[in-house]
Amino acid sequence: MARIFAHRGLSGIAPENTLSAIKACCEHNVTWFETDVDILADGTPVLMHDTSLARTTNSTKILYDITQEDLKNIDAGSWFNEKYRGEKIPTLAELIDLMNTEGLNANIEIKSNEQGAERSYQLVDAVIAELERLNPEREVLVSSFNHVLLNEFSRRSPRHKTAALFTEQMLQPDWLSVVQMLEVDAIHPEDSVMTEKLTQQMRDAGYDINVWTVNSRSRANELVNWGVTGLFTDYAHLMSDFSS
C-alpha cells in the first residue's frame, strides 16, 4: 500500500492550491496533500504553482509584483468553476492554521524562486517560520526541484524531512549520488521515468519513493505492486483503496 497525496489539494474537484481544494481532503478522508509555496513582493509566502497568475486567477500579474493586500482583489476560483468565484490565493499562514484545525499532513513544495539568492533565502526562512507553528503531531515533508535550495532548507532546518523532486530529464544515472549528498528522506520522481527495476534500486538504497502525478488507477496499481511508497494524484478521493 502507499501514501496518497492530494496533488495541489483535491485539484480534480476544486481549484488547485486553494483552501477549498485542501478542505475537500477533509470531506473525503484524505489526510495528506501536496501544495506549492512561493513569496509575494512583500515576502508573504503563498500557495501558488506558477509565477504568472494568468492560468489560475483572473489576474495577469506576476506573483512577485503583488502584495498580501492585493490578494483580496484576485479571484482564484472561477477559472475552475463558477461556484468557486471569490476564492482567494491562500497564504501559508492560513494553510498552517487549517492543518492544525483539521489534522492534515502536507508535502510542501518550495518553488524555485526566479528573483535570485536573496529572495530564495527569504522564501526558505518564511517557510521555516510558518512550519514552526505546526502542531507537533502534524507531519510535513518539504520538497523542491531546486536541489540547491532544498539543501539550504535542510541546513537551516535539519529537523524537517525532505524529498528531492525529479523530472524525467533531471533523473540521470547519478541520481544516487545526488540524493545521498542532499541527505533527503525521499525521492519524488516523475511517473514517466519509473520502471520496476528503478523502483527496486531506489528502495534498495533505502529511500521512500513518491511518484507524481498518477491519475490512472491501473498505473497506480502497477506502481504500488512494484513497491513505491506514495502517489501524488489529482483524484486522491478515488485512490483510497491504495492508501496505507
Side-chain angles (χ1 to χ4, degrees):
M1 305 305 283
R3 177 173 288 168
I4 303 300
F5 296 86
H7 181 236
R8 305 178 193 172
L10 268 182
S11 56
I13 61 174
E16 66 177 62
N17 285 330
T18 63
L19 293 186
S20 286
I22 308 302
K23 289 175 181 177
C25 294
C26 307
E27 298 164 7
H28 292 274
N29 298 314
V30 176
T31 59
W32 278 85
F33 66 89
E34 180 269 350
T35 192
D36 309 283
V37 177
D38 208 335
I39 51 173
L40 304 180
D42 60 5
T44 303
V46 295
L47 277 54
M48 176 60 63
H49 182 273
D50 301 356
T51 304
S52 168
L53 304 184
R55 182 176 64 86
T56 59
T57 80
N58 66 340
S59 172
T60 58
K61 292 183 178 180
I62 300 300
L63 189 68
Y64 305 140
D65 293 337
I66 65 171
T67 66
Q68 187 171 355
E69 179 65 20
D70 296 318
L71 297 182
K72 64 175 185 252
N73 299 316
I74 297 173
D75 170 17
S78 59
W79 69 273
F80 185 86
N81 189 293
E82 185 61 29
K83 72 178 181 178
Y84 292 107
R85 178 172 294 279
E87 188 83 30
K88 302 306 176 192
I89 298 172
T91 65
L92 182 56
E94 291 173 322
L95 179 70
I96 296 298
D97 291 340
L98 182 62
M99 290 175 64
N100 286 335
T101 300
E102 300 296 339
L104 293 169
N105 307 307
N107 180 109
I108 303 291
E109 180 187 332
I110 303 179
K111 300 303 292 182
S112 193
N113 189 278
E114 301 168 14
Q115 298 179 291
E118 183 178 351
R119 289 281 280 168
S120 294
Y121 293 141
Q122 186 180 15
L123 170 59
V124 167
D125 287 339
V127 171
I128 292 171
E130 291 299 340
L131 291 180
E132 290 300 316
R133 298 198 302 109
L134 266 181
N135 292 341
E137 63 272 19
R138 300 276 51 79
E139 295 183 67
V140 67
L141 184 62
V142 175
S143 64
S144 185
F145 285 106
N146 185 330
H147 298 161
V148 175
L149 187 150
L150 187 65
N151 187 64
E152 183 62 22
F153 173 87
S154 294
R155 190 183 71 80
R156 294 181 182 221
S157 187
R159 72 183 184 87
H160 287 110
K161 292 184 177 181
T162 57
L165 275 157
F166 291 92
T167 63
E168 182 176 356
Q169 292 74 23
M170 289 171 65
L171 195 69
Q172 297 297 314
D174 66 346
W175 65 265
L176 182 58
S177 295
V178 172
V179 296
Q180 286 180 340
M181 293 175 75
L182 287 170
E183 298 183 348
V184 295
D185 300 279
I187 303 171
H188 290 181
E190 186 173 6
D191 177 32
S192 59
V193 78
M194 294 309 296
T195 63
E196 185 172 9
K197 180 180 179 181
L198 182 57
T199 300
Q200 194 59 55
Q201 289 174 340
M202 290 179 173
R203 294 295 289 141
D204 287 346
Y207 293 97
D208 285 349
I209 313 166
N210 304 314
V211 182
W212 59 276
T213 301
V214 184
N215 290 330
S216 161
R217 285 184 53 81
S218 60
R219 178 59 169 169
N221 184 65
E222 181 175 50
L223 289 165
V224 171
N225 285 337
W226 288 348
V228 305
T229 55
L231 303 170
F232 293 93
T233 176
D234 298 331
Y235 302 97
H237 59 304
L238 302 179
M239 301 280 192
S240 59
D241 50 323
F242 295 114
S243 180
S244 55

